[in-house]
Amino acid sequence: MKHAHISKWLIGAALLAVTPAVVAKPKAIVVFYADDLGYGDTSVYGQAKVPTPNLERLAHDGCRFCDAHAATPICTPSRYSLLTGRYAFRRPDTRILDGDAKLILPVEGSGEANVTLPVLMKRAGYRTAAIGKWHLGLGAGEEPIDWNGEITPSPREVGFDHSFVMAATADRVPCVFIRNGRVVDLDPADPIEVSYDNVETKWEGELTAHTNPELLKAWGRPSDRQHDKTIIDGISRIGHMRGGAAACWKDQDLADRITAEAERFIRESAGQPIFLYFATNDIHVPRDPNPRFKGKSGLGIRGDATVQMDDCLGRVRAALAAAGYDDTLFIFTSDNGPRVSDGYEDGAHDAWANDNPAAPFRGGKYTVLEGGTRIPMIVAWPGHVKPGTTNNALISQTDFARSLAKIAGVDVPDGACGDSQELSYVLLGASDAGRDSLVEQPAWGPWGYRKGAWKLINSKEPQLYFLDDDPGERHNLAAERPEKLRELQRDLRAARGL
Ligand code: CA
């Protein structure tokens, strides 16, 4: 017995020597996922007009990444990749989903090769939760979603023990929260109907930006023909909705409500290991931060929404500390790069006239310029991530699945998480040996590909950049370096399986 004990200790000591960063799994793992927040959007990445003291504290406690990427420059596919460890292009319908789209994540039990990150976390013994923005579809798609009954499959069926989510985005109907498959605060006498029929008015008496512009808040006016449908809480949305008045959220309370739900989940889970996927709406449109954040940034409503997001982050961390989760691996990041104006006349365009939210990069949401997928990322874990550090490794959110599985001590089944790389040392800031390469999937248009500091934008007139010298992607080297261009084009084709 004593011998066995010593052997175990020796093995443990050997593991400790080889793997200094990963010795015991954390009591809590939190992914705090911002929306449309760019690399240059916060004070912690150099934007002094947007004070984000809680993010600064997180960076002070942990490691700030400088070459971390979302899988794509748009919401749904990036989230799909983070939660499955697969490039989104492996599944062709991972476009930006409507609010009534079917679930695109594999349900639990549909085969070992389909295992999701939350299922892996459950297997590692964590109580799992998805709180905030979902935008990965609901229901099986065989019949329309019944918003008035039990919605299934929902986050619960992909591995989340607890969920409190918006179906899609705040600019898409239905504007309600769904807790564990049921719309919250629904009055059965006022049932919800949702339609994405491509018509200006779906129902007699529907209030839209066209029929009742006087109902719109000053910052809730649409700037395109997509965001001009049903008005809810003074903001016209994408899609049509009627009924469910008591269940509809107030946009200025949205951040507070999801944060309160996270605080409750943390409090009620105290003592148990937890995995929390907390996806904020900030700073996606419509931006309607709580009035207490008005004017708190020097960059208008979009900057104020970022200050609100930072406040949520501080509250989630405070709730973890209060519930005894000192041993928390906390990851902050964003699902894609920035977009200043994105469907509403909210003043952001003028406020940001002289500031680049992707700085020092170019491009943003929808593009494969670096600003599209290179996003802020900060990781902290007391005793494991060295405080106040930075890391320049190339790493993707697609790598979270295998890296977190490794940290949590759970095996990834054969065939699962196929594009995810086990980069736990990098994620914990202990190594800068990141990925060699990365596909940057576009929303539309040409594809991007990274190989070290080389960057290909595979447009009709191909672009080749060397980011170490040219982070802004302004000096096209395609004509000067034809052999490097061909190499990256060949590698991109191979990575896409073409
Ligand atoms: Ca987004």
Side-chain angles (χ1 to χ4, degrees), residues 90-432:
R90 307 287 183 206
R91 183 174 170 131
D93 59 355
T94 54
R95 62 188 186 282
I96 301 173
L97 297 179
D98 285 340
D100 62 352
K102 72 171 178 183
L103 179 73
I104 59 165
L105 289 178
V107 299
E108 191 173 4
S110 62
E112 283 299 278
N114 288 331
V115 140
T116 60
L117 172 60
V119 169
L120 289 169
M121 294 296 102
K122 267 172 79 167
R123 288 182 184 176
Y126 291 90
R127 183 172 183 232
T128 58
I131 293 174
K133 173 169 162 175
W134 184 241
H135 209 189
L136 290 156
L138 294 163
E142 285 148 14
E143 48 195 63
I145 296 168
D146 178 8
W147 301 102
N148 307 293
E150 175 139 10
I151 299 166
T152 185
S154 75
R156 185 177 35 197
E157 281 71 33
V158 303
F160 289 107
D161 296 315
H162 180 78
S163 61
F164 180 83
V165 295
M166 308 155 61
T169 54
D171 60 350
R172 285 178 174 78
V173 299
C175 298
V176 297
F177 291 111
I178 301 154
R179 184 188 280 117
N180 297 327
R182 293 263 176 189
V183 171
V184 177
D185 295 334
L186 179 66
D187 175 359
D190 184 24
I192 293 171
E193 275 184 83
V194 167
S195 167
Y196 276 80
D197 287 354
N198 189 22
V199 292
E200 195 163 282
T201 308
K202 171 72 181 170
W203 298 293
E204 180 81 27
E206 181 185 3
L207 310 177
T208 72
H210 296 284
T211 61
N212 295 78
E214 76 285 357
L215 296 178
L216 295 171
K217 295 178 186 178
W219 50 89
R221 296 188 309 273
S223 62
D224 60 36
R225 296 303 301 272
Q226 191 187 19
H227 291 80
D228 60 0
K229 306 303 186 297
T230 307
I231 296 173
I232 295 165
D233 193 28
I235 297 168
S236 56
R237 317 279 169 161
I238 304 172
H240 310 274
M241 174 180 177
R242 64 176 171 182
C248 284
W249 66 57
K250 297 273 184 265
D251 289 77
Q252 295 187 345
D253 298 338
L254 218 158
D256 284 335
R257 287 191 68 186
I258 61 172
T259 304
E261 187 79 11
E263 289 169 330
R264 186 178 317 125
F265 171 75
I266 291 165
R267 195 169 55 241
E268 291 178 354
S269 302
Q272 301 174 60
I274 54 169
F275 171 73
L276 171 60
Y277 170 74
F278 182 83
T280 71
N281 172 61
D282 295 318
I283 58 173
H284 198 283
V285 293
R287 302 171 188 120
D288 194 6
N290 190 275
R292 70 184 189 276
F293 299 105
K294 188 173 165 43
K296 295 293 177 177
S297 78
L299 285 171
I301 204 166
R302 188 172 175 280
D304 295 350
T306 307
V307 176
Q308 172 171 271
M309 178 211 71
D310 183 73
D311 176 73
C312 295
L313 184 135
R315 286 160 63 192
V316 170
R317 287 194 82 199
L320 289 161
Y325 288 106
D326 297 327
D327 183 25
T328 294
L329 167 55
F330 197 102
I331 302 172
F332 165 81
T333 190
S334 173
D335 70 336
N336 52 252
R339 178 82 173 176
V340 170
S341 284
D342 204 10
Y344 295 94
E345 303 282 359
D346 64 2
H349 181 265
D350 291 343
W352 283 82
N354 299 312
D355 290 87
N356 172 12
F361 308 108
R362 261 200 320 145
K365 186 177 182 181
Y366 308 119
T367 79
V368 293
L369 286 159
E370 284 295 286
T373 62
R374 198 185 301 212
I375 35 66
M377 184 164 104
I378 303 172
V379 178
W381 184 16
H384 298 271
V385 178
K386 198 171 173 194
T389 49
T390 58
N391 188 298
N392 293 316
L394 180 63
I395 184 168
S396 167
Q397 290 163 6
T398 312
D399 303 324
F400 287 5
R402 279 187 182 274
S403 303
L404 292 177
K406 173 77 175 178
I407 290 166
V410 64
D411 290 334
V412 177
D414 289 346
C417 310
D419 296 303
S420 185
Q421 295 187 9
E422 199 284 276
L423 295 174
S424 53
Y425 300 151
V426 177
L427 190 66
L428 300 180
S431 164
D432 57 6

Side-chain angles (χ1 to χ4, degrees), residues 34-37 73-76 79 133 284 334-337 365:
D35 197 350
D36 294 7
L37 186 81
I74 46 175
C75 306
T76 300
R79 287 155 202 267
K133 173 169 162 175
H284 198 283
S334 173
D335 70 336
N336 52 252
K365 186 177 182 181

